[in-house]
Every structure is written in structure tokens, then in C-alpha cells.
Amino acid sequence: MQEFIQQLINGLSLGAIYALIALGYTMVYGIIKLINFAHGDIMMVGAYVGFFSLSVLDSNILVAMIYAMLACSILGVLIEKIAYKPLRYSTRIAALITAIGVSLFLEYFTLFLLGPAQRVFPDTAFPVNNYNIIGVSVSNKDIFVIVSAVILMLILQYIIRMTKTGKAMRAVSEDKDAAVLMGISVDKTVSITFAIGSSLAAAAGVMIGVYYNTVNPLMGIVPGIKAFVAAVLGGIGLVPGAMVGGFLMGILETMVSGYGNSLYRDAVAYGVLILILIIKPTGLFGKNTGDKV
Amino acid sequence: MKRKISKKLAIIMAMVFMFSIIAGCGGDTKTPEKTDPKAATDKIKVGLNVELSGGAATYGTDARDGALLAIEQINAAGGILGKQLEPVVRDNKSAADEAMTISSALVGEKIVAQIGPLTSGDVAGSTPIMMEKKIPLIAPAATAVNVTVDEKTQKVRDYIFRVCFIDPFQGTLMAQFAANDMQAKTAVIYKDTSTDYAKGLAEYFKKTFEEKGGKIVAEEGFVKDDRDFKAVLTKIKNLKPDFIYVPGYYQEVAPLIKQARDLGITATIGGCDGWVSDDLVKVAGAANLNNTFFTTDFSAEDKDEKVVKFVNDFKAKYNKSPNSFNALGFDAAQMLAQAIKDAGEAQPEKIKDALAKIKDFVGVTGKMSIDASHNPIKAGVIVEYKDGKHVMKTRIQP
Amino acid sequence: MQGSGKIGGRLIAEVAAVAALFMLGQFLISTGMLEQYYQIILTSMCINIILAVSLSLINGFTGQLSLGHAGFMAVGAYASVVMTNRLDLPFIIGILAACLGAALAGFIIGVPTLRLKGDYLAIATLGFGEIIRVVLQNIDYVGGPSGIMGIEKYTTWAWLFASTILTLVVIVNLINSSYGRAIISVREDEVAAELMGINTTRYKVIAFVVGAMFAGLAGALYAHYFYIIKPESFTFMKSFDILVMVVLGGLGSTTGAVIAAIFVTALTAFLQSFPAIRMILYALILIIVMIYRPQGLMGNKEIGRKTLARLWGGKR
């Protein structure tokens, strides 16, 4: 039982990170139906900004996170304006290829600038304390990651549900043409979506940096693809789906490694995804909509 | 319908045809400049076929840095046989097919020898070209046994050499240490399953440890770029092994050890030369590294004169402390220089013969001689971490 | 009968052209006029053409976004190497095993997933591709993560040339047949196609299986040229590479896929001289081409005899 609770906590903190990245994926997808493959790399850039503000500017962790979120929201908007906007009315697959190009560019430009070697977060950035509660080890890092992920998700929910901007975002994702007719600026809404999605990725990046102490230029690929899978698992385009999908993915991976065979962890994760897609093609939270003629 | 197909076919063929012509012409026009006699005489070209992008980019870049430092120093000291070495660096994208293409391109540039690639798989991709064109290849870090010896025929590959340990050596060494010195009865293997290197080490560790009467209670794996190991570690914790063997690279091992200690695992942890990096201490934490041991041929804290000089020079050039890849890249270039000197002429086949005869070459990864299978015979060291510092535990001569 | 005589004449001329092309390649290679470096690039080119054309059948003509093509290539590569290297059987058996194995994998994966639409299918195929890789990584018989080394070099110019031509002939034929019209109707409007009584799933599966089979063929050729195969060579990044060629060439254009495969291979080779920034340049070129030519180099047009005839006519 102790072991199970321990594994559950392990899974939750891993899942919180996946969920944060998945949120950005899902928001962008929801609004312009683009699988933004560069999202994981935006997370990487966020992690680097966090790293430099912690180690060079000596700022504290929350300030570093805010810097990273700001920098990445600008980066996200720029990427959208330069690379995706010209393709908004061409095929989605063309945009997908561009996203792959942007992803490669971010990875290898960072690698070129900073070298492929990993950078280590300073110890002082986040002093670790381990708490031992009835044989289950919980560190303040776990708590930090889970709590800040939940807070960010709540803020996001507030923005989407309660504010005018959120309303505009929902409107554009529901029906772009109708939204235009209602006087909503699609360009602006898309930009805001990219800004928010990218800043969430940046937050996740700083969290990964703090949680695992290191950053490197190719760190975004694996969590990026996993988070994408998580978003699809929950039902892509749906914010609650991304959250639940992220946590599920984290717990699933942890449980497979913990109780099954760690060598097959990734295969099982993808296997469950495919199974869910086959049973319920729109993901756990997706609504089935028939094709219209 | 048939007509339509053949139509398209004709056009396609015409294009393939055109391209072959263009490619062919490209080859022809390039040939004269390559055989320019002047260029061939005052410089000795050395190919660096390394991983600068893709999954193994860190290893390739590190080895390149080491090799370039060595070449720079050799040139500053007047070169070899009165000639300067000219490095030709190419990125093989961490792919075996690309490694082959790069090798053939380097051969076209008239290199006398090639350093790299880093991973055993990429070396394998490059091997057929080097064998066919009779140009020696020195692998800085390819550890699989079959890199230098053909598995099927058991024949040594004439032109392929390496400066690193082979898998059996380190795995066996650590198993002996665990069973004899640490009196371990049970062990868990937690290996990097994405590299043949770690898998090879694990295989020989298991074999020797079991021969010594020990028991492997679990075999787990992680893959490159994993950063979360807590699930498996929680499982390992409940198995209460005496010893945990973690063959892999420092990028993954550092957070792994940290998470293991955070979870309260106090067992001895053993590793290999992939651990060697300052980052291990920075990420894992000095206290967490107590009671960990690793096998290696290189330590940046070694007090040996040559190593101290290398570490200082490296720090001066790259502003960081060298890891084992830097050292192996450095030694590969140094050994090549030695071989060219011994050969008395920068001619590939003579260099190959000289490489095969290398004896008591002193590199920063120890004194080595090349054996009949083209592997270096060099001493292995077991290093212990004490409060973040390397402490030489035992030195084992082969 | 008059017409058929004319067709026969053309056919003979075309067969002769193909044969001449083959002979020319053979001549350049066997006399060493084509340096080894260019031979390797030519080989990559042919393999990429097979991969791009086969994926173009699935992505371009059937309109089903598949991101698992590298997985089928892996199945083909491993199946053929098990035959030739492990069981010491002749290369032709290896090729057949590769095609059959990959086609079977395509069938097993296609039947359940092709009910999915758009991005869901994309992610499911990506998942399957990765599962194939993870499974291969854990089978010790085929070398686990280190793969199989020392594969015999059976892939000659003759095999390459024949395979490329075969792929083109079969896929172009398929597209121009009644099957092909059904397949394209699925892409254009699945609901309408279904209403017209077309069993869309069946045609999707056919396209998928044929595409997978040729990816398997490419895998076999690849394995027996590049000496080593390992699971890491077949990640989703490889699938992306193939997809890039298809989209760059233009969705629904076989000639486009061929041109793009040649272009991308040549570009990769050209960028080798800039080791430090090669991937940055590649990424930039990708983005720029897509922005200025989102429909791909060829759109959905083909270069056929008609196009050439028109050009000719214009000149006259």
C-alpha cells in the first residue's frame, strides 16, 4: 500500500508536467486545428530562460518562472505570426510540416548557440526538503510542481470561462466565420491563444528544470510527444481533457514501470492510447460528432 | 490506362537520368582539385565523422572538442613529420547511414584517417567504406566487441581501431568489485536500454556476478532522455538489494542517483565511465554520491602530470572541465598522431600498420597498447565518490 | 487495332528508355565514373523515392494522415535481415519477407485504426510506429537496441533500379485504376463516397497495406546497403522525414513525391559541408518552402507526357 501511494505521488508529479504541456497543445489545436509540434521546444526555451534568470540574474524561482512565461509568450506569438499565419488558409498538413520545421529550428538554433551539453540548475534555486510520511517520501519539489500546475490550470479555466478573451477564444474555436461576424478579431484571439499556451509550456519548462535540475536543447522532444499523446488521450481541443490526459499519462507510465516491465513503458503508454482511440475515437472527454454532408 | 502510366514513367525516368548525369558530372569536375598535388603535400587531412546533431549530439560534440584540442596542440608544436594536421569535421546526424555517406565524402577529401563516429552503431555504418578504401578509423568510444572483430568470421577488421574499453572489461570489473570487495549477495541492474554500451556492460556484469554466486533480483531499464526514475526506484527500494548497477551516461544517471537517495535508497550504486562529468556531482549532489563507485580509465581529478595538463588546457580552451568523451577524443587524435609519426609517412596503410603496433602509448586515459583485436589494453580504475570528490579505490591492470 | 499498335510502339520506346537508363547507371557505377559518395547518395535517393511514393499513396491520394511509415520500413528491414543474415537465405527471400511482413503489419494496424479520422489517425499511427520500435528494441534475437551489424551488401544498382521502377509502376497503376478512383474519392469526400456505395474502409486498408508493403521493400534495400540496422534508425523523426518529402512534393502527386525525394536527399548531402548549422538551414528551408509554396512543389499535378507535349507544342 505504501508503495502504491508512493507510485501514485510519483505519477502525479510527472503527470502535472505532462498536463501543463498538453494544455498548450490542446488550446492551439482547439483554435486553429494545428498540431503545434514546436510546442515541446517552446517548453525547452522556457526552461533555458528560467535557467539563465536563476543562474545569471540570481532571481528567485517565481520570478524566473514569470520571465520564462513572458519570453515564451512573445516567442509563441512571433512563431505564429511568422510561420503559421501565412498558412492559416492552406492545408493543415502544410502547417504541420511548418511546425516540424519550427521545432527543428528551435532545437538546433539553441544547440548552435549554447552547445549540446546540458546545463545544471543552481542548487540554491530550490532547496529541497524531503518529508517522510508513514514511509512515503514526498519532497517539496513534488508539492511545488503539483500545486503550481493546479494553480495555473485554475487560472486558465478562469480566463477561458469568465473573461471576454476566453469567450472570444471559445467562439473562434467553435466557429471561426461566425466569430468574425460577431466582431471578434480572429488574429488577435489566435495570438492570445499562442501567448497563453506558450507561457504554460514555459512554466512547465522551468518546472522540469527545477524538478530534474538540468536543461538541454533536445529536452523538449520526448515530453513534447508524450504530452501530445496525453492531449489526444483526453480529447484534443478540450482543456479539461488535456489536464486529465496529462495526469493519466503520468500515472500510467509510473505504474507500468513500477509494477510491470519498465522496458515496455513507452509501448504500453502508446498501446493504451490506441486502445482508447479505437473504443472512443475522440478521446476520453471528446464528443462524438458525425460527419456532416 | 497503361498508356498514361508509361507516360509518367518516361518523364520520371528522364529526371532520374538527368540527375544521375548531374551527379556524375559533379564528381568529374571535383576530381582535379582533390588531386591537387600541392594541397596533398603540406597538410595531413584527418576526418572527424562525429555526431553533432541527433540523439548522440553531446557525445560527438564532446569528442570533437577533445580531438580538436589535441590537433591544435600538435600543430602548435610543429605538426607531424613537419606537416600540419588539418581536421575535416562532418556531422553524421547520429545515423548509421549518414555515417556511411560522410565517410565516403571524407574519403573523397583524401583524408589519411578518420576519428569517430562515437556510437558502435554509427561506427558500423562507417566500417564498410573504411575497409574498402583501406583507410584507418579510430573509434573514440565505440565499446561493442564486434566493432573491431567480425562476429561471424571472428576476423579482426584490419582498419578499425579504438581507444576505449570494450564492454566485457568494465562489466566484469564492477561485478568482481561488487562480489569480492563489497560482499554483495543481491544486485539490481538498472540500465540504459537505448544504448548498446550500457546493455553490453549489464550483460557482462550479470554473467560475472552470477558466477560469483550473487543473485540478480531485478533487471530494469530506462531510455535516453528519461528524467523520471522514481517509479522503478520505488520498486527497487522494496527489493532491498545490496548493490545497484547503473550502466549509463551521466545525463540520466545523475538525476537517477538523486531520486534514489531522495527515496531513501542507501544501497551501494555502481557505474561505468559514462558517469564521468562534473555534472554528476552538480545534479546528483555530493552527499547523495557517497557510497557510489564507478569503473573508468579517466578522471579529471587524476594527479597524473599529463592528465593535469590536459584538464588545464581543456579548461582554458572550452571553459569547462573535461568528461570522458573529451578525453577519449583527445586520445584518439593523439594516438593517430603517434601512429603517423611511427609510420614515417602520412599514408593510410602504413598508418594502419603503425596503429596495430602501438605500444605503451601514454594518453590521458592511461597507458595503452593495441592488442591483436585492435582493442587498447589499459588499466581500469575503480573510483569512489567521497563528498563529491573522486577517490581512487583500486587500479586493476589487465 | 490501329490505336493499340501505336500504344505498343510507345511502350517499346519507353521500355527501351528505361533499359537505357539502367545500362547507363550500371556503366557509370561499374567503371567507377560515379564516385562512391555519389553512389551512396543515388542509393539514398532511390530508397527515399520508394518511401515517398508509397507514403504519398496513403497521405496524398487516400488523404489519411499516417505518421508511422518508419515503423513499416523497420518491419521490412528486420524481416529481410532475419532471412538473409540469421537464416542465410537468399536476398530475394529477404525482399519477399520484407514486403509480406510490412504488408501484414500494415493490415494489422490499418484495420482497427483506419476508422479514425484526421489527427486521431495520425497519432494512432505514430503510436504504432513507436510500438514497433520499442518491441524491436526488446527482442534480443535481433540485437535489441544495438540492432544487427554486418549485414551483407546485397543491394545492387539492379535491385535498386528494379525496385524503384516496380514501386512507381504498381502505385501509378493502382491510382489510375478503378481502385484508384475509389481511393481518391475517399480523400475528396468520404461521406459522399460512402453514399455512392464505396466501401471506404476497404479502400483505405488497401492503400495502407500497399503503402506499407513498399515501405517494407525500402527497408530491405536500406538494410542490405547500409550494413547495420537498429531500432533507433526508425523513430518518428524518420517518419517525419518521409512526410516532409511527400508534402514538399505536393499531396496527391507521384511525380511531386519523386522530385521532392530527390530534392531532399540532394539538399541533405549538400548541407553536409556546413556541419554546425546544417539542421538550422534544413529547418529554415522547410519553413520557407512551406510558406511560399504550401501546396508543395507540384500541387496535385503530375508531370506526364501531356505536360511535355504541351511544352513541345508551345515551342513549335
Side-chain angles (χ1 to χ4, degrees):
Chain A
M1 194 58 204
Q2 265 175 20
E3 187 182 341
F4 182 78
I5 296 172
Q6 179 77 61
Q7 297 289 25
L8 203 63
I9 291 171
N10 298 342
L12 280 176
S13 47
L14 183 63
I17 292 171
Y18 285 155
L20 272 183
I21 310 174
L23 278 175
Y25 260 121
T26 237
M27 285 174 65
V28 168
Y29 186 88
I31 207 149
I32 52 169
K33 298 283 177 287
L34 164 73
I35 304 174
N36 182 13
F37 267 109
H39 196 70
D41 303 295
I42 294 176
M43 178 211 88
M44 175 270 296
V45 174
Y48 267 98
V49 174
F51 166 76
F52 282 114
S53 64
L54 283 170
S55 59
V56 179
L57 303 178
D58 240 355
S59 50
N60 77 35
I61 182 75
L62 287 176
V63 177
M65 214 170 205
I66 290 168
Y67 280 145
M69 289 171 79
L70 278 177
C72 283
S73 54
I74 295 169
L75 178 70
V77 173
L78 277 180
I79 290 175
E80 196 274 325
K81 288 263 182 268
I82 297 169
Y84 300 153
K85 199 179 158 204
L87 290 165
R88 200 176 292 157
Y89 298 99
S90 32
T91 52
R92 282 164 53 196
I93 197 164
L96 181 74
I97 299 292
T98 315
I100 294 172
V102 172
S103 159
L104 287 174
F105 178 79
L106 289 178
E107 282 160 20
Y108 287 101
F109 191 68
T110 314
L111 194 139
F112 177 70
L113 275 186
L114 303 169
Q118 61 179 15
R119 303 289 176 109
V120 181
F121 266 64
D123 289 337
T124 48
F126 199 89
V128 188
N129 289 309
N130 279 306
Y131 309 105
N132 208 314
I133 308 155
I134 49 158
V136 178
S137 146
V138 184
S139 82
N140 53 350
K141 273 186 180 179
D142 294 302
I143 299 169
F144 168 72
V145 167
I146 297 173
V147 169
S148 42
V150 170
I151 291 175
L152 287 169
M153 287 177 206
L154 288 177
I155 296 176
L156 179 68
Q157 272 299 347
Y158 171 79
I159 294 175
I160 292 179
R161 295 281 146 213
M162 306 293 184
T163 64
K164 231 176 177 174
T165 321
K167 218 176 205 173
M169 282 160 66
R170 280 183 288 145
V172 173
S173 109
E174 195 77 30
D175 189 333
K176 210 179 278 171
D177 299 329
V180 174
L181 292 176
M182 302 304 285
I184 296 169
S185 159
V186 174
D187 280 355
K188 205 174 132 198
T189 313
V190 170
S191 291
I192 291 172
T193 309
F194 265 90
I196 295 176
S198 304
S199 66
L200 287 175
V206 177
M207 276 183 211
I208 290 184
V210 168
Y211 201 74
Y212 304 122
N213 290 59
T214 55
V215 287
N216 73 67
L218 304 181
M219 70 186 279
I221 303 174
V222 175
I225 207 93
K226 294 262 175 74
F228 175 49
V229 169
V232 178
L233 196 66
I236 193 157
L238 300 162
V239 170
M243 292 185 201
V244 175
F247 279 114
L248 262 183
M249 186 83 182
I251 292 168
L252 183 69
E253 281 197 354
T254 313
M255 292 301 164
V256 174
S257 299
Y259 294 100
N261 187 339
S262 52
L263 302 176
Y264 282 95
R265 183 197 59 197
D266 290 353
V268 172
Y270 287 115
V272 168
L273 167 87
I274 290 165
L275 217 63
I276 287 184
L277 286 183
I278 289 170
I279 299 166
K280 194 161 182 310
T282 45
L284 287 176
F285 284 71
K287 283 190 212 94
N288 271 314
T289 46
D291 272 351
K292 286 174 214 145
V293 183
Chain B
M1 197 189 80
K2 236 179 191 174
R3 233 181 331 154
K4 227 177 173 180
I5 301 153
S6 29
K7 240 190 236 170
K8 277 162 205 162
L9 211 63
I11 305 304
I12 292 161
M13 286 308 108
M15 290 182 29
V16 175
F17 173 79
M18 261 159 52
F19 202 89
S20 340
I21 301 262
I22 293 165
C25 290
D28 287 345
T29 50
K30 263 194 177 174
T31 324
E33 56 183 71
K34 274 177 207 156
T35 46
D36 184 6
K38 211 178 157 225
T41 47
D42 33 320
K43 288 210 167 162
I44 301 173
K45 278 194 179 178
V46 177
L48 264 68
N49 181 347
V50 286
E51 291 83 345
L52 300 180
S53 60
T58 30
Y59 320 140
T61 312
D62 283 347
R64 178 200 63 184
D65 289 349
L68 289 181
L69 175 67
I71 291 172
E72 191 178 280
Q73 290 181 351
I74 292 161
N75 285 342
I80 293 170
L81 310 173
K83 292 178 190 171
Q84 296 277 299
L85 292 180
E86 186 190 341
V88 185
V89 184
R90 290 286 181 271
D91 170 26
N92 61 35
K93 289 166 76 180
S94 310
D97 50 354
E98 196 68 15
M100 181 189 269
T101 319
I102 295 286
S103 275
S104 68
L106 287 171
V107 168
E109 299 236 13
K110 301 276 180 261
I111 55 163
V112 298
Q114 175 185 300
I115 293 171
L118 274 292
T119 66
S120 300
D122 296 343
V123 172
S126 173
T127 297
I129 303 282
M130 307 316 277
M131 293 294 287
E132 193 189 320
K133 299 293 176 190
K134 300 198 189 313
I135 291 175
L137 177 158
I138 303 179
T143 57
V145 177
N146 57 3
V147 163
T148 56
V149 179
D150 190 311
E151 252 174 321
K152 269 193 177 168
T153 60
Q154 290 300 314
K155 262 175 71 182
V156 177
R157 300 182 207 271
D158 288 343
Y159 288 85
I160 314 297
F161 299 84
R162 69 176 126 210
V163 291
C164 55
F165 287 133
I166 52 172
D167 291 337
F169 184 74
Q170 284 196 74
T172 309
L173 198 62
M174 188 45 85
Q176 283 168 350
F177 176 77
N180 300 341
D181 299 35
M182 302 306 293
Q183 296 290 322
K185 297 272 171 287
T186 55
V188 168
I189 295 175
Y190 192 10
K191 66 194 171 206
D192 178 349
T193 53
S194 55
T195 66
D196 26 9
Y197 159 69
K199 264 200 142 174
L201 260 56
E203 185 189 328
Y204 288 98
F205 176 87
K206 184 178 177 181
K207 198 168 145 232
T208 313
F209 192 70
E210 283 175 345
E211 276 169 15
K212 297 250 170 206
K215 192 168 178 297
I216 304 287
V217 286
E219 232 178 301
E220 299 290 340
F222 56 88
V223 296
K224 194 179 152 35
D225 292 329
D226 270 4
R227 286 296 178 266
D228 201 290
F229 308 94
K230 283 182 294 180
V232 171
L233 289 170
T234 304
K235 189 161 136 189
I236 292 176
K237 186 185 174 187
N238 293 334
L239 291 169
K240 298 191 172 54
D242 298 334
F243 193 87
I244 304 171
Y245 188 46
V246 190
Y249 293 118
Y250 66 90
Q251 288 94 334
E252 288 81 25
V253 170
L256 189 153
I257 291 177
K258 184 177 170 52
Q259 287 165 28
R261 297 304 192 218
D262 282 353
L263 282 170
I265 297 175
T266 52
T268 309
I269 302 177
C272 52
D273 58 356
W275 282 26
V276 178
S277 165
D278 277 3
D279 283 1
L280 191 70
V281 184
K282 283 196 225 155
V283 177
N288 290 334
L289 279 170
N290 285 338
N291 200 22
T292 64
F293 299 83
F294 61 95
T295 50
T296 188
D297 45 10
F298 174 75
S299 157
E301 289 165 39
D302 199 333
K303 292 289 165 275
D304 179 89
E305 202 182 313
K306 200 164 167 135
V307 177
V308 172
K309 182 179 180 312
F310 166 67
V311 173
N312 289 336
D313 292 345
F314 193 89
K315 278 185 179 159
K317 186 168 161 72
Y318 298 108
N319 202 17
K320 70 181 189 88
S321 170
N323 60 25
S324 61
F325 284 106
N326 297 134
L328 288 166
F330 185 84
D331 273 2
Q334 288 280 10
M335 191 197 267
L336 174 62
Q338 179 70 45
I340 297 173
K341 208 181 288 170
D342 294 349
E345 187 188 344
Q347 199 269 336
E349 268 182 79
K350 288 191 177 152
I351 296 174
K352 172 211 70 168
D353 293 336
L355 275 171
K357 289 193 205 109
I358 288 274
K359 211 166 158 39
D360 296 334
F361 162 79
V362 185
V364 293
T365 63
K367 191 159 110 180
M368 58 189 116
S369 305
I370 295 293
D371 71 6
S373 311
H374 290 187
N375 299 318
I377 307 170
K378 57 179 168 182
V381 194
I382 292 192
V383 176
E384 178 181 6
Y385 267 109
K386 273 238 167 76
D387 300 319
K389 293 271 168 251
H390 288 180
V391 178
M392 300 279 176
K393 191 79 182 167
T394 40
R395 181 178 284 272
I396 294 143
Q397 293 292 342
Chain C
M1 285 315 282
Q2 229 177 356
S4 82
K6 215 173 162 189
I7 294 170
R10 271 186 190 162
L11 197 63
I12 289 168
E14 276 151 8
V15 168
V18 168
L21 182 57
F22 168 73
M23 299 292 268
L24 180 81
Q26 187 66 37
F27 173 75
L28 286 174
I29 289 167
S30 53
T31 54
M33 277 168 75
L34 196 63
E35 274 177 49
Q36 189 173 35
Y37 174 64
Y38 295 101
Q39 287 180 29
I40 297 177
I41 290 174
L42 187 65
T43 306
S44 302
M45 231 169 240
C46 289
I47 292 172
N48 282 338
I49 290 174
I50 299 176
L51 287 169
V53 169
S54 60
L55 185 65
S56 147
L57 174 67
I58 301 172
N59 278 2
F61 289 98
T62 323
Q64 306 299 309
L65 183 52
S66 164
L67 295 179
H69 220 52
F72 300 127
M73 190 186 169
V75 171
Y78 273 87
S80 66
V81 171
V82 165
M83 292 297 158
T84 60
N85 188 284
R86 291 286 190 259
L87 304 175
D88 285 320
L89 293 167
F91 188 39
I92 180 75
I93 305 280
I95 294 251
L96 289 176
C99 293
L100 285 177
L104 187 68
F107 184 74
I108 293 171
I109 293 169
V111 168
T113 53
L114 284 168
R115 299 190 302 122
L116 300 174
K117 299 212 161 55
D119 299 326
Y120 295 105
L121 175 66
I123 196 73
T125 48
L126 185 138
F128 265 118
E130 288 295 282
I131 289 175
I132 290 175
R133 187 177 61 82
V134 175
V135 169
L136 287 173
Q137 217 162 46
N138 287 300
I139 301 176
D140 282 332
Y141 180 67
V142 292
S146 36
I148 301 174
M149 216 183 259
I151 301 163
E152 293 76 2
K153 190 179 164 183
Y154 290 138
T155 303
T156 56
W157 170 241
W159 276 111
L160 271 174
F161 191 82
S163 305
T164 313
I165 298 289
L166 181 77
T167 310
L168 288 169
V169 169
V170 170
I171 288 183
V172 173
N173 252 310
L174 182 68
I175 290 165
N176 290 330
S177 69
S178 61
Y179 281 89
R181 285 190 288 278
I183 282 170
I184 292 170
S185 77
V186 173
R187 175 188 73 189
E188 293 300 326
D189 193 332
E190 202 173 329
V191 178
E194 206 140 352
L195 288 174
M196 298 298 286
I198 290 169
N199 182 349
T200 53
T201 309
R202 178 161 167 248
Y203 287 102
K204 282 197 252 178
V205 171
I206 288 173
F208 204 70
V209 168
V210 172
M213 186 176 85
F214 283 108
L217 172 65
L221 295 171
Y222 173 92
H224 291 86
Y225 193 85
F226 289 105
Y227 193 69
I228 173 178
I229 49 168
K230 52 180 179 174
E232 227 185 297
S233 309
F234 306 104
T235 58
F236 60 88
M237 289 310 290
K238 181 78 191 172
S239 299
F240 284 174
D241 284 346
I242 309 167
L243 183 68
V244 163
M245 293 174 207
V246 173
V247 180
L248 217 54
L251 285 176
S253 167
T254 310
T255 34
V258 173
I259 294 170
I262 293 172
F263 172 73
V264 169
T265 318
L267 180 69
T268 312
F270 171 72
L271 291 178
Q272 276 166 5
S273 316
F274 312 94
I277 50 168
R278 99 185 263 196
M279 291 306 286
I280 303 178
L281 291 178
Y282 179 72
L284 282 178
I285 291 171
L286 206 60
I287 297 170
I288 293 167
V289 172
M290 276 293 110
I291 289 178
Y292 288 100
R293 193 99 187 130
Q295 72 276 42
L297 297 169
M298 294 290 298
N300 60 359
K301 296 191 180 61
E302 302 277 359
I303 294 179
R305 205 187 275 150
K306 263 185 204 159
T307 328
L308 284 193
R310 220 177 299 136
L311 285 176
W312 247 299
K315 269 179 197 163
R316 255 184 237 161

